[in-house]
Each structure stands twice: as C-alpha cells, then as structure tokens.
Amino acid sequence: MTLPAGGMLPCEIERRQIFHTLKMWSSLTAWKRILHFYQVWADATESSLREASDKGWEDKSSIHSDDLVSILKGAADLEDAVSRLSKGDKRIFRYASHAELVRAQRPLEHWGRKLGPMGLIETGDISVDTDHTPYWDEFKRSANALMEVWGECAPDIVQEGSHGKPVDEAPTIYGAWHLEWLPKMVFPEALPEVPNPSDVVLIGTGRGVPFSGIWKPVYVPAPKVLSLFKPSSPKGPLAVVGCMNYLHEGTSAPRAKQEAEKESLRVNVTWRLLWRDNRYEDGTVPEEEAQYVFLQPVAAEEATVSTRSTSSVSLTVAESGQRAPVAGRWLVEDDLHASVDVAAGEELPLHKGRKVRWTLAVA
C-alpha cells in the first residue's frame, strides 16, 4: 500500500507542529477552556430568561425555558467529562450515543443550525423577536464563541459517530487545511521532536487500539515466507503513508485518509504508536500546557454577561410520584416539549403512563 499519485505528507517541522497540536487539542487545558465558554453561554441564557420573566415577556422571548434546561444539561455533561479527564480518563473522547461529550454537543448543533452562516435565522426560516429577548446579542455572541472553541479542538479528537456507530476513518488528514492554518498557529520556539519509541507497537485497521495516544500510519511489508511462529516486529524504519492521528483506547483502529492533488483516499493501514497519553493519571498537569495558544475564537474572548456565576446554577430534578419542592413549570427530562405546572408540595405526575424525571424550567 502506497500513497496515491501526488500524495501529500508533512515535512519534519510540520510533523512536530501537528504532534504538538494534537496534544494541545486533547489536553485538560483545552477542555477546561471549552467548559468556561459553555458556562458563559449558559450564563447569558439564564440572564435573558430572568429579565424576560421579570418583564412578563416569557411568551414573546425567542429564548425559552427549555433552551436553558438543555444548555445547563450540556454544561453539566461537559463538566462531568472534564472532571473525568482531570483524573486521566481519556474514554470521554470515545463515541457513544449517550456519552457526555455527545450530549454536550447537542445544544450546540441545535443552535448552530439557527445561528450559523445560512442558518435558519439568516435565511428567514425563523425570526427573532429581539425587542422581547433580553441579552440576545450576548446570547448569540457567546454561543458562536463556544462553537468556535469547540470546533477548533473537537473534530480531530472526539470520535465521530453516525447512525449510532463510530465512523471508521481517521479525522486528521494532512493537506490544504494544514497548509493554510499551521503557519497561523503559535508554537514554542524550541518545538520538541516527534517521539520515536524503541518499543514498536503496531495495529492494523480494524484491530483494537490498546492505548489512547498519537499514532502514525506506516507501511509494513508482508512477510516473505509463511511461518508457524509468531512473526517478529519489522526491522528498520517504516515508511509513513499518512498523517498522525489521536486514536482512542478500546476502539477499532480506523482507516487513514490521504489527500492528493487529484483525489483523496481512505485506506487500510498499519498504525504505529508514537506517544501513549497517560497525562493526569498522577493528578498533575504538564507544565507545557501553560504555553498553549489557541486560535479560536477569532474575536476578543468573552465578557461575562451577568454577575451570577453559572457554576452556582444547578438543576432541580424530581421523579413522578415525588412532591415538587418548588412551584413552577416542570419539563420531562427526555421530552422537553412536555411540561406541567405544579404547585409546591404537589405530586409530580406520570408522563404518557410512565414514571419519568421532571426538571424545573425556571427556578
């Protein structure tokens, strides 16, 4: 297996830059930063709803209580994921239909369809009553900033899924994106070399990945003769046939993508481990993370919308059959379009004949 005609491979300095970037995007520092932007968005949402409620605009506002619930849940899911990462758990990056990062991304996808370029608002498919939606500009700005910081780090690190299953292709591909963006990024003056471990760990496409970390696709020639014994590791340097990627322990090794002048291919490869990610397992954060520089958001970073910190905001949740601790509008946790007005001390009902968890919409 070889590169397609005109196949593109990074030079040595670009290899160092890509290795540094993959470590940065998968770092605790990166995801704590993303969590902060998420909390600012939640804060803007809560501030808008509180002022609309104070002015009696709940029915006119373009931001609704179920929006706040979904965004607060997303922030809580992301906070759980960051907490796990701080203890060294890299499984947060693996795809599962109900994983924390998948759930946290859903409100972003929902509002991205509305706020993005040629989104539903820009095309006029939906309208925004800005006169009765307090802090709309702050809400929109904080949402877009979060989408930018998420979009910088997640695509090459968080395993994608489709139809409930992980996508079987490596996300990082060397080509036009790197040629445009690597020169814009900020790297340490003394950029370390890419590791070349003495222990050769190899896995083929479709095989189980034993360690989370950075792997490179290489060409391993087939053995010349059949043997009854376990084949030994190949000798000498192995030809690189694509771009290094961050792969996830416990997943199946993906196909590699190769960009060429006339075509892009997805091919089965052999992956070689360059660096095993065991960060944070000892409770410490590498010093190098203090020097990380991110590209997004393009505009100046956020300004907090209200004086209330989102870290102090928590959801009020109770199950069917329990008495409501607070009067107000309650939403079904897995069906935010279903609601009921309940007085304090009143028993929360069943939903469609079944017991559910209810969440207070406006506390």
Side-chain angles (χ1 to χ4, degrees):
M1 190 275 299
T2 58
L3 282 172
M8 303 174 66
L9 290 175
C11 66
E12 177 56 31
I13 185 61
E14 289 171 332
R15 290 183 69 246
R16 296 186 189 189
Q17 292 172 340
I18 294 169
F19 182 82
H20 173 88
T21 302
L22 290 175
K23 288 181 69 178
M24 180 175 71
W25 287 342
S26 60
S27 70
L28 179 61
T29 295
W31 287 91
K32 287 178 70 174
R33 179 173 180 266
I34 293 170
L35 175 60
H36 171 69
F37 277 86
Y38 213 124
Q39 291 172 332
V40 170
W41 184 35
D43 198 23
T45 309
E46 186 189 21
S47 296
S48 177
L49 280 171
R50 286 186 178 278
E51 183 156 329
S53 178
D54 290 343
K55 295 182 177 180
W57 294 345
E58 296 97 329
D59 294 336
K60 296 180 179 180
S61 175
S62 297
I63 301 173
H64 307 290
S65 57
D66 54 353
D67 294 321
L68 176 61
V69 170
S70 66
I71 291 168
L72 285 177
K73 285 182 178 179
D77 283 324
L78 181 55
E79 186 172 12
D80 288 344
V82 170
S83 176
R84 289 175 55 192
L85 182 60
S86 70
K87 299 176 177 66
D89 188 351
K90 315 306 184 304
R91 291 174 297 178
I92 66 163
F93 297 128
R94 289 171 18 180
Y95 176 81
S97 58
H98 296 291
E100 291 100 329
L101 292 185
V102 174
R103 295 197 303 262
Q105 189 173 1
R106 287 171 185 159
L108 284 178
E109 293 174 340
H110 173 76
W111 280 99
R113 289 190 289 270
K114 294 182 178 182
L115 297 172
M118 297 306 295
L120 296 174
I121 293 174
E122 184 174 308
T123 58
D125 291 304
I126 61 175
S127 60
V128 176
D129 186 350
T130 55
D131 291 337
H132 297 95
T133 307
Y135 299 116
W136 171 253
D137 288 340
E138 289 83 351
F139 173 86
K140 181 172 65 174
R141 183 165 54 247
S142 58
N144 285 327
L146 173 59
M147 292 176 200
E148 288 176 353
V149 298
W150 186 288
E152 178 177 4
C153 298
D156 284 47
I157 301 300
V158 180
Q159 187 182 30
E160 288 291 324
S162 178
H163 305 295
K165 295 182 180 180
V167 173
D168 178 31
E169 59 183 45
T172 307
I173 174 174
Y174 178 77
W177 186 93
H178 289 95
L179 294 174
E180 177 182 358
W181 286 97
L182 284 178
K184 300 178 182 179
M185 299 180 72
V186 178
F187 298 100
E189 290 186 9
L191 197 58
E193 294 183 2
V194 176
N196 184 28
S198 56
D199 292 338
V200 178
V201 179
L202 301 172
I203 53 170
T205 293
R207 299 290 185 178
V209 179
F211 310 115
S212 291
I214 299 176
W215 299 69
K216 68 176 179 180
V218 296
Y219 173 68
V220 177
K224 295 182 180 179
V225 295
L226 296 175
S227 173
L228 297 176
F229 303 99
K230 182 179 179 180
S232 59
S233 298
K235 306 298 181 182
L238 300 173
V240 177
V241 292
C243 189
M244 66 185 74
N245 269 258
Y246 189 102
L247 304 185
H248 309 287
E249 178 181 352
T251 64
S252 296
R255 294 175 295 169
K257 289 191 289 188
Q258 300 172 341
E259 185 171 321
E261 294 177 359
K262 296 182 179 180
E263 61 180 341
S264 294
L265 299 179
R266 292 159 177 80
V267 295
N268 294 334
V269 296
T270 298
W271 294 93
R272 183 187 176 190
L273 180 65
L274 295 176
W275 172 75
R276 179 177 177 177
D277 189 357
N278 56 10
R279 292 172 295 181
Y280 324 122
E281 293 175 4
D282 61 356
T284 65
V285 178
E287 293 182 1
E288 71 177 59
E289 295 195 16
Q291 307 302 318
Y292 286 164
V293 178
F294 299 89
L295 289 179
Q296 302 294 342
V298 174
E301 298 199 0
E302 79 300 333
T304 304
V305 176
S306 77
T307 57
R308 181 175 178 183
S309 171
T310 327
S311 61
S312 65
V313 177
S314 61
L315 298 178
T316 302
V317 178
E319 294 185 351
S320 297
Q322 293 181 334
R323 298 190 181 279
V326 179
R329 181 168 169 249
W330 290 76
L331 306 169
V332 177
E333 189 174 58
D334 58 359
D335 182 5
L336 297 181
H337 296 292
S339 65
V340 62
D341 291 317
V342 177
E346 184 179 346
E347 192 174 282
L348 288 162
L350 300 175
H351 175 60
K352 296 182 179 179
R354 63 187 178 93
K355 189 175 182 178
V356 297
R357 281 162 54 95
W358 294 88
T359 302
L360 183 66
V362 179

